[in-house]
Amino acid sequence: MKTIIEKVIHLQNIELFSEVPSEQLSYIALISHITEYEKGDVLFREGENSDSLHVLFSGSIEMQKNGESKFAVEENRTVGALGFFDQKPRIFTALCKEKCIVLEIDSNAFFDLLEEKIHITRYLLKFFIGKLRLVYDDIELSDESRLLPL
């Protein structure tokens, strides 16, 4: 799973990137690298800088806060997306529950890529707006004070 094509195929299965055309995904694949982690390895710790996005291709990751297990991340999911996009410190520790194969995308390289390949941004915005719409769909009309002024 080290070729650009293999990375693109896997990225197509990730919700965040599922609408991004293969050609554009190939640019993301070029700036990424595969890392294998063993059971018990830590991808990142709570409070650390959010300098990369992790895409879990295989395995399972336990997300902990203050040493307490909060939830698990399974295959074909992103890990650390919030900090990656808002550049704030990590809010969880990510611990491998078993051997994991992870695609890692450096944030500086990614944001440099977005400046060059602006089309990728369109698909990411579409994804985030779709998620925001889900939040709005769940808000009662009587609770309009919680709505963002859109």
Side-chain angles (χ1 to χ4, degrees):
M1 181 180 9
K2 294 179 173 99
T3 70
I4 299 300
I5 293 169
E6 289 173 309
K7 290 178 185 179
V8 167
I9 290 168
H10 280 282
L11 286 170
Q12 289 171 329
N13 294 321
I14 306 302
E15 185 181 18
L16 175 64
F17 299 116
S18 64
E19 297 292 321
V20 179
S22 298
E23 177 187 336
Q24 302 298 319
L25 286 177
S26 68
Y27 296 114
I28 296 171
L30 280 169
I31 64 166
S32 68
H33 66 276
I34 302 285
T35 304
E36 291 188 21
Y37 291 92
E38 298 299 323
K39 180 179 180 177
D41 286 350
V42 174
L43 271 66
F44 53 80
R45 296 187 186 283
E46 183 178 345
E48 290 181 346
N49 290 336
S50 299
D51 56 1
S52 60
L53 176 67
H54 303 271
V55 180
L56 183 59
F57 284 164
S58 70
S60 181
I61 296 174
E62 179 180 300
M63 303 304 286
Q64 300 177 345
K65 185 153 184 76
N66 299 322
E68 187 178 315
S69 179
K70 294 297 182 182
F71 61 94
V73 177
E74 303 299 330
E75 296 178 359
N76 295 323
R77 299 278 185 199
T78 58
V79 182
L82 290 177
F84 179 75
F85 283 104
D86 73 6
Q87 299 292 286
K88 301 242 172 144
R90 302 285 189 190
I91 56 176
F92 295 105
T93 295
L95 176 71
C96 294
K97 292 173 37 175
E98 58 188 282
K99 184 176 180 172
C100 295
I101 298 175
V102 178
L103 178 87
E104 297 180 355
I105 305 170
D106 176 78
S107 62
N108 291 329
F110 183 79
F111 289 113
D112 287 347
L113 176 66
L114 289 184
E115 289 178 13
E116 292 177 25
K117 306 294 181 190
I118 194 72
H119 299 316
I120 297 171
T121 305
R122 167 189 269 175
Y123 298 101
L124 294 175
L125 284 172
K126 185 177 176 183
F127 169 80
F128 287 119
I129 293 300
K131 292 295 183 187
L132 189 56
R133 279 188 182 276
L134 293 174
V135 172
Y136 273 72
D137 287 346
D138 286 343
I139 294 176
E140 295 291 327
L141 291 177
S142 62
D143 197 11
E144 291 179 21
S145 64
R146 290 184 44 203
L147 296 177
L148 296 173
L150 296 177

